[in-house]
Amino acid sequence: MYSDKVMDHFTNPRNVGEIIDADGIGEVGNAKCGDIMRMYLKIEDGIIEDVKFKTFGCGSAIASSSMATELIKGKTIDEAMRLTNKAVADALDGLPPVKMHCSVLAEQAIKSALLDYSKKHNIHIEGLEDINFDDDHHHDIEE
């Protein structure tokens, strides 16, 4: 049912924890399944130097959070903005359809942290204007 990569990122998650002096913090949740993700970003000169997460949720939520952090660490803000839930799921060698919302949460947690960063530093990040962080992410799934 779950790929080896999902199981690896669930049992050995990368970048777990928090960044005390984070430049951006984002939290999203899904009321239907109870998953909550919090992402912490440390950004230097437009590059995501460090990223950590804390996730309360199922194995797919933890694996999605872990993989998403791996995919944006060392990347530019623009590169992180282009991360999609499909890219997270693909990097995990797929998620069951009923768990695809976990990859959406990971994508949105990153964008929520970038939105926080943009507000704290009074900068504009293209693509954050129309983001809606409601807690029904099932309609946002890109498969």
Side-chain angles (χ1 to χ4, degrees):
M1 180 171 178
Y2 292 107
S3 72
D4 289 342
K5 282 189 182 176
V6 170
M7 294 306 296
D8 181 41
H9 278 268
F10 167 59
T11 57
N12 304 294
R14 283 64 150 181
N15 306 306
V16 176
E18 61 186 271
I19 299 171
I20 300 302
D21 59 345
D23 295 309
I25 301 171
E27 184 175 301
V28 294
N30 184 305
K32 287 185 177 143
C33 64
D35 294 328
I36 300 169
M37 291 182 188
R38 182 177 283 173
M39 292 278 178
Y40 301 83
L41 301 176
K42 191 71 179 164
I43 300 173
E44 296 270 333
D45 299 323
I47 305 290
I48 298 169
E49 296 290 331
D50 198 10
V51 55
K52 301 266 188 234
F53 78 91
K54 284 189 168 182
T55 293
F56 177 84
C58 67
S60 293
I62 292 165
S64 292
S65 300
S66 175
M67 180 56 81
T69 63
E70 289 284 282
L71 292 171
I72 67 164
K73 195 171 191 174
K75 304 289 191 211
T76 66
I77 290 171
D78 288 340
E79 288 170 320
M81 281 297 298
R82 289 193 295 271
L83 181 71
T84 64
N85 75 286
K86 184 177 183 329
V88 173
D90 287 350
L92 289 168
D93 293 335
L95 287 169
V98 71
K99 295 295 184 178
M100 280 299 288
H101 68 276
C102 295
S103 63
V104 173
L105 281 175
E107 173 190 345
Q108 293 205 334
I110 289 165
K111 289 180 178 165
S112 177
L114 287 169
L115 181 61
D116 182 54
Y117 170 77
S118 73
K119 288 177 179 176
K120 285 179 179 173
H121 294 84
N122 198 27
I123 62 167
H124 174 76
I125 298 175
E126 189 70 35
L128 287 177
E129 307 85 9
D130 302 323
I131 300 283
N132 179 15
F133 298 108
D134 64 28
D135 60 346
D136 180 10
H137 302 284
H138 295 276
H139 64 279
D140 295 329
I141 295 173
E142 182 184 310
E143 295 182 54

